[in-house]
Amino acid sequence: MTIKGKAYIAGAYEHPTRHAPDKSLAQLHAEVAKGALEDAGLGKADIDGYFCAGDAPGLGPLSMIDYMGLRVRHMDSTETGGSSYAIHVAHAAQAIAAGKCSVALITLAGRPRAEGMATGTAPRTYSAAAPDVGFEAPYAPVVANMYAMCAMRHMHQYGTTSEQLAWIKVAASHHAQHNPHALLREVVTVEDVVNSPMIADPLHRLDCCVITDGGGALIVVAPEVAKSLKRPKVKLLGAGEASKNQVGGRIDLTYSGAVWSGPRAFAEAGVVPGDIKYVSIYDSFTITVLMTLEDMGFCEKGQGGRFVADGALISGSGRLPFNTDGGGLCNNHPGNRGSMTKVIEAVRQLRGEAHPRVQVKNCDLALAHGTGGSLGTRHGSATLILERE
Amino acid sequence: MPQQERVIAAPPVNPETKPFWDAAAEGRLLIKKCLACGEWHYYPRTICPFCFSDRTEWEPASGRGTIYSYSVMRRAPVPYAIAYVTLEEGVTMMTNIVDCDLDRIRIGGKVSLVFKPSDGGPPVPMFTLRA
Ligand SMILES: [Zn+2]
């Protein structure tokens, strides 16, 4: 059984806030749900499936279904960090194909900025029962230095440079200047990136994504529901998910789980990387984008630095437009979880509703990818291929 | 020459990992080997992550290794080097590189085992650049 053509993204909404000290977490979830329903032209009573991840407060779906007054017959709280929401889209399609629901709501919200969280540079407390924690926590792994070790190894093994990585941020900033909601709208240069303060060798401050409050929501529907709506139709063609880890000490930091999730999604969709007109790639750090593009086959392994350099990812002039909302690097990274906004911008591109200055011409096939957890230890990887019908 | 001054978080010890930390208190690094498939693994588990046999055994590691990757955390009150070190036995473990000039750390650098006290817990295995 395949999910190809079995589900459509009918609603997509990104919360305009980037700083929400005056809102509760549950409130943000409800606000994005409301926004996505209005975008789709559906009502709350139409929702019969609900999906959320570890950012949802309390008992996840139980608390949020209660708070929002939903009545559903299917729920899923798959938690794979920032990749959760791309996985939820695939799981919603599976549930729809199996007849378990026909209108699925997926929500994400967070307020790390209001809470003063040092997302990338402070150690986080995990459960003492996590099997890895005793063998990692004493060494002060944080988000930044874990991704930095991947970048350091990639540079060592393939000759990737800081300047090549910087081009990823430069492209994102070119897009963000057109997004009125983006946290950082200033266009930066390669020099700006490599001269910004070093956070964790070899990643500079401008290699890192922003910390923002807010959230986003998606409505995934059955084909007959999509037909009844007035919005442009965005069809799910293929999906892949994977988990990558340390493999019992056989550590290889040069690739991500996208080596598995990518080919699975392409195979289901029946397309190849060369067919894709636009990509949304989770950009927690510049290195995340570079490795993901290699792993999904947009270029040869080790050639990612050359592939992204010289403006190759800038919409309108580059060979592969990416993250045209400014991505996590410049626009938004609500709740420290990136795949929701990745799917939302891919939907905008396929509908022709991206900002005119970054809208990809004849954008009929797009890819959205999420990475969740840590590239340097264990992470989830989720790839979606979407088509405008 | 920046030294390790960071407070090292105490590792939680549980029944499965107690032998590892008891050995650490004696200055020995134990790693697990599977008697069924012959493979070493890290971090240690009761059941082999490769063949799922429960016939795993603690073995002392030589304490010599090579830096697979590292990063010096510059944005920290006391900069420190996190690393993955590949042991002679073949497994790669997360660790810190300590007691050396952090700017001399390189991938491929040879390192040897030291133990550093943790904050209220057992000492923790780390590595220093070999002379
Ligand atoms: Zn075994």
Side-chain angles (χ1 to χ4, degrees):
Chain A
M1 187 166 132
T2 173
I3 50 112
K4 184 175 183 176
K6 302 282 175 63
Y8 291 73
I9 298 181
Y13 180 77
E14 179 182 12
H15 204 294
T17 193
R18 301 293 180 266
H19 190 211
D22 55 340
K23 291 179 190 293
S24 80
L25 183 55
Q27 178 187 0
L28 287 168
H29 275 272
E31 287 181 1
V32 293
K34 195 171 165 59
L37 280 171
E38 282 166 9
D39 179 61
L42 288 164
K44 182 165 77 77
D46 296 314
I47 298 168
D48 61 356
Y50 178 63
F51 293 68
C52 63
D55 57 285
L59 277 174
L62 302 186
S63 297
M64 291 314 305
I65 287 166
D66 176 6
Y67 177 85
M68 293 191 277
L70 303 178
R71 291 170 65 90
V72 303
R73 57 194 177 104
H74 187 83
M75 57 193 161
D76 179 330
S77 52
T78 299
E79 163 63 349
T80 59
S83 59
S84 302
Y85 319 95
I87 286 185
H88 290 167
V89 171
H91 289 190
Q94 292 164 18
I96 289 167
K100 299 298 182 187
C101 62
S102 60
V103 177
L105 166 69
I106 307 167
T107 65
L108 151 78
R111 46 203 302 287
R113 201 171 160 213
E115 290 161 12
M117 184 177 181
T119 299
T121 53
R124 298 191 199 179
T125 356
Y126 292 101
S127 154
D132 44 271
V133 71
F135 303 93
E136 296 180 4
Y139 307 116
V142 296
V143 182
N145 64 10
M146 287 294 101
Y147 283 73
M149 281 208 284
C150 298
M152 190 69 90
R153 185 69 200 184
H154 205 280
M155 288 176 166
H156 172 83
Q157 204 154 321
Y158 301 114
T160 307
T161 67
S162 288
E163 286 73 16
Q164 291 170 335
L165 286 173
W167 272 109
I168 296 166
K169 169 74 175 187
V170 170
S173 77
H174 272 266
H175 300 148
Q177 66 177 315
H178 305 299
N179 182 351
H181 299 298
L183 187 75
L184 306 175
R185 297 188 65 192
E186 193 187 335
V187 173
V188 300
T189 64
V190 167
E191 290 68 33
D192 291 335
V193 180
V194 299
N195 292 328
S196 65
M198 192 63 88
I199 300 294
D201 297 335
L203 297 179
H204 306 81
R205 182 152 196 252
L206 297 188
D207 285 299
C208 309
C209 66
V210 299
I211 300 170
T212 53
D213 302 339
L218 295 163
I219 309 280
V220 182
V221 303
E224 60 273 18
V225 177
K227 272 194 203 86
S228 73
L229 301 173
K230 295 188 179 71
R231 303 293 277 134
K233 287 218 249 319
V234 173
K235 181 162 72 178
L236 184 58
L237 279 192
E241 65 186 61
S243 164
K244 195 221 165 191
N245 53 60
Q246 299 166 327
V247 203
R250 298 174 184 176
I251 290 167
D252 185 340
L253 297 182
T254 60
Y255 70 94
S256 73
V259 294
W260 301 302
S261 69
R264 283 169 193 160
F266 281 114
E268 186 165 47
V271 300
V272 296
D275 298 329
I276 302 289
K277 305 275 180 58
Y278 164 80
V279 293
S280 276
I281 308 282
Y282 189 8
D283 50 349
S284 46
F285 297 88
T286 50
I287 184 65
T288 322
V289 176
L290 186 146
M291 283 172 52
T292 304
L293 288 171
E294 290 178 346
D295 293 340
M296 290 196 297
F298 285 95
C299 63
E300 260 180 66
K301 191 72 211 171
Q303 296 298 308
R306 254 168 260 182
F307 184 81
V308 302
D310 305 318
L313 303 180
I314 298 175
S315 184
S317 55
R319 75 178 107 175
L320 184 65
F322 101 121
N323 297 7
T324 40
D325 59 336
L329 287 168
C330 297
N331 169 32
N332 195 11
H333 189 220
N336 306 319
R337 290 161 169 261
S339 72
M340 173 63 76
T341 45
K342 296 296 155 291
V343 179
I344 292 171
E345 182 66 5
V347 169
R348 289 193 194 108
Q349 280 287 351
L350 291 167
R351 286 172 169 178
E353 295 176 355
H355 190 282
R357 297 290 296 275
V358 297
Q359 175 66 49
V360 175
K361 285 195 185 77
N362 307 315
C363 188
D364 53 2
L365 196 62
L367 178 149
H369 180 86
T371 308
S374 174
L375 208 57
T377 53
R378 51 201 66 80
H379 62 267
S381 196
T383 310
L384 301 176
I385 294 173
L386 302 163
E387 181 185 49
R388 185 188 64 210
E389 189 175 278
Chain B
M1 187 166 126
Q3 295 290 320
Q4 177 76 41
E5 294 165 42
R6 189 173 54 82
V7 175
I8 297 162
V13 178
N14 63 42
E16 188 181 18
T17 62
K18 191 169 182 297
F20 180 93
W21 297 111
D22 286 347
E26 297 165 1
R28 293 184 301 131
L29 173 62
L30 295 186
I31 54 176
K32 275 264 178 147
K33 187 173 193 175
C34 175
L35 297 176
C37 72
E39 297 290 336
W40 299 93
H41 71 259
Y42 193 88
Y43 56 87
R45 292 113 158 134
T46 303
I47 296 181
C48 172
F50 301 117
C51 75
F52 230 44
S53 165
D54 57 6
R55 294 172 52 223
T56 58
E57 210 173 55
W58 295 102
E59 296 271 359
S62 76
R64 285 183 296 274
T66 306
I67 297 171
Y68 170 77
S69 193
Y70 72 98
S71 174
V72 177
M73 190 67 199
R74 305 283 174 186
R75 195 179 163 84
V78 182
Y80 62 95
I82 199 157
Y84 276 121
V85 162
T86 305
L87 303 179
E88 280 184 339
E89 290 76 12
V91 291
T92 300
M93 63 182 279
M94 188 184 292
T95 191
N96 294 130
I97 308 297
V98 296
D99 298 341
C100 66
D101 179 354
L102 299 181
D103 294 330
R104 283 187 49 236
I105 301 172
R106 294 288 178 270
I107 288 176
K110 304 290 178 199
V111 292
S112 53
L113 179 68
V114 294
F115 279 89
K116 292 288 171 183
S118 70
D119 186 22
V124 172
M126 296 188 176
F127 291 82
T128 190
L129 294 180
R130 226 183 292 162

